[in-house]
């Protein structure tokens, strides 16, 4: 555990994957963590992992794209754990398709979860951060922000997350709040497993093929991203704001 005083963190999409690893890591750093996901019961495993290691965690069911649910969830976290001063906007979905086959719903769903979700969660949490004169916001972007075939919706949302992050950094810096983005490359989670299935490959073969294109010759693990998030959320990172850190096992072209 670090010397950082215990603060309340919210991690969205924390039932599994990168969000779960990040919630566990922030708890290990001494934060009380609200494990937020669509289905509250799906958060049980992440909460159990944290509490088994002596940490404090709360499962919260919330659709981050729904304004009323977000307001209620942040109010509940504030009441049960305390004012959230750390926010990780991690919840995400894929609706991949080539442009000519992409439906209105594929576009709207991805925009709503990633961009509207990050906006609603950040707006709901910032008032607590401003009151405290302290805050850390980390947004999950992606290497796909640079463009990726079959992901016109996701690439636009993840590039949008970068502009959103830099603007938060400019607006909120004077209140002691930093905002940064982590942009993962290929991370082995249910999300990439679903992509393997969609393209008709076994996940092990899919990961092996991806690893050959990555300078460190392996795909990432959720903990690789949790480590980067933990850097930005640390109290000592207060002069680092508005940055996008690609965590992809090498540089991207
Ligand atoms: P994941 O395993 O699919 O987990 C995403 C989590 O977000 C799920 O638990 C999901 O819940 C939840 N979620 C989806 N919609 C939500 C909503 N409206 N409200 C609340 N929670 C919601 O994904 P991951 O791979 O860990 O990815 C985490 C983040 O990293 C995402 O933003 C993703 O775009 C980004 N990222 C991932 C990779 C990668 O290679 N894996 C690369 C770059 C960026 P359900 O299970 O109920 O749907």
């Amino acid at each position: 555990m670090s010397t950082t005083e215990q603060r309340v963190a919210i991690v969205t999409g924390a039932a599994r994957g990168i969000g779960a690893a990040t919630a566990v890591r922030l708890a290990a750093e001494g934060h009380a963590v609200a494990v937020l996901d669509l289905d509250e019961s799906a958060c049980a495993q992440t909460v159990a992992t944290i509490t088994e290691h002596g940490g404090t965690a709360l499962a919260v069911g919330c659709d981050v794209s729904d304004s009323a649910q977000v307001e209620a969830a942040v109010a509940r976290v504030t009441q049960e754990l305390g004012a959230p001063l750390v926010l990780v906007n991690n919840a995400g979905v894929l609706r991949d398709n080539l442009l000519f086959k992409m439906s209105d719903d594929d576009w709207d769903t991805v925009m709503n979860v990633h961009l509207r979700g990050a906006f609603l969660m950040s707006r709901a949490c910032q008032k607590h951060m401003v009151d405290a004169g302290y805050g850390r916001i980390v947004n999950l972007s992606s290497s796909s922000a640079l463009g990726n075939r079959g992901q016109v919706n996701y690439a636009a949302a993840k590039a949008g997350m970068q502009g959103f992050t830099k603007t938060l950094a400019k607006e909120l810096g004077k209140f002691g709040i930093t905002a940064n983005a982590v942009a993962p490359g290929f991370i082995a989670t249910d999300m990439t497993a679903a992509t393997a299935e969609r393209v008709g490959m076994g996940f092990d073969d899919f990961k092996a093929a991806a690893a050959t294109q990555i300078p460190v010759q392996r795909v990432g693990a959720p903990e690789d991203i949790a480590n980067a998030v933990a850097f930005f959320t640390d109290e000592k990172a207060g002069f680092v704001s508005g940055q996008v850190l690609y965590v992809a096992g090498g540089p991207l072209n």
Side-chain angles (χ1 to χ4, degrees):
M1 188 176 290
S2 77
T3 54
T4 304
E5 78 180 75
Q6 185 173 58
R7 295 192 169 99
V8 176
I10 298 178
V11 183
T12 72
R16 55 191 169 91
I18 293 168
T22 300
V24 169
R25 175 60 194 265
L26 294 190
E29 296 286 336
H31 294 88
V33 182
V35 176
L36 187 150
D37 211 293
L38 271 177
D39 176 7
E40 183 170 324
S41 63
C43 301
Q45 182 57 55
T46 309
V47 169
T49 303
I50 292 171
T51 54
E52 279 162 16
H53 288 84
T56 302
L58 173 72
V60 180
C62 172
D63 178 347
V64 296
S65 67
D66 183 299
S67 186
Q69 288 189 39
V70 165
E71 290 297 326
V74 172
R76 186 179 156 214
V77 171
T78 305
Q79 192 172 17
E80 296 190 31
L81 288 181
L85 301 186
V86 176
L87 171 65
V88 182
N89 285 309
N90 167 82
V93 290
L94 293 181
R95 293 289 185 275
D96 293 356
N97 229 328
L98 293 173
L99 175 63
F100 78 102
K101 290 192 279 191
M102 186 166 288
S103 69
D104 294 10
D105 190 54
D106 289 338
W107 177 268
D108 291 343
T109 298
V110 167
M111 292 302 150
N112 285 340
V113 176
H114 296 269
L115 281 177
R116 183 177 160 85
F119 156 63
L120 293 175
M121 288 297 307
S122 301
R123 190 179 61 182
C125 290
Q126 60 80 31
K127 51 184 170 282
H128 298 290
M129 298 178 185
V130 169
D131 285 349
Y134 180 93
R136 298 281 181 267
I137 299 173
V138 181
N139 298 314
L140 268 290
S141 179
S142 168
S143 55
S144 295
L146 301 170
N148 199 24
R149 192 169 188 276
Q151 292 195 317
V152 72
N153 51 358
Y154 185 77
K158 290 309 201 183
M161 289 294 259
Q162 298 188 11
F164 177 70
T165 300
K166 289 168 194 273
T167 303
L168 290 184
K170 290 188 176 189
E171 288 191 12
L172 300 175
K174 65 183 171 192
F175 303 109
I177 301 166
T178 66
N180 292 285
V182 174
F186 188 119
I187 310 298
T189 68
D190 291 348
M191 183 177 274
T192 37
T195 302
E197 195 175 338
R198 191 176 60 79
V199 299
M201 280 179 81
F203 194 34
D204 285 342
D205 289 342
F206 192 61
K207 285 187 288 188
T212 65
Q213 305 302 310
I214 299 171
V216 301
Q217 296 286 288
R218 69 169 177 89
V219 300
E223 291 73 20
D224 289 312
I225 304 308
N227 288 338
V229 174
F231 167 71
F232 285 130
T233 56
D234 196 290
E235 185 174 341
K236 293 185 283 297
F239 204 56
V240 183
S241 195
Q243 301 305 302
V244 179
L245 180 63
Y246 284 88
V247 182
L252 298 162
N253 296 324

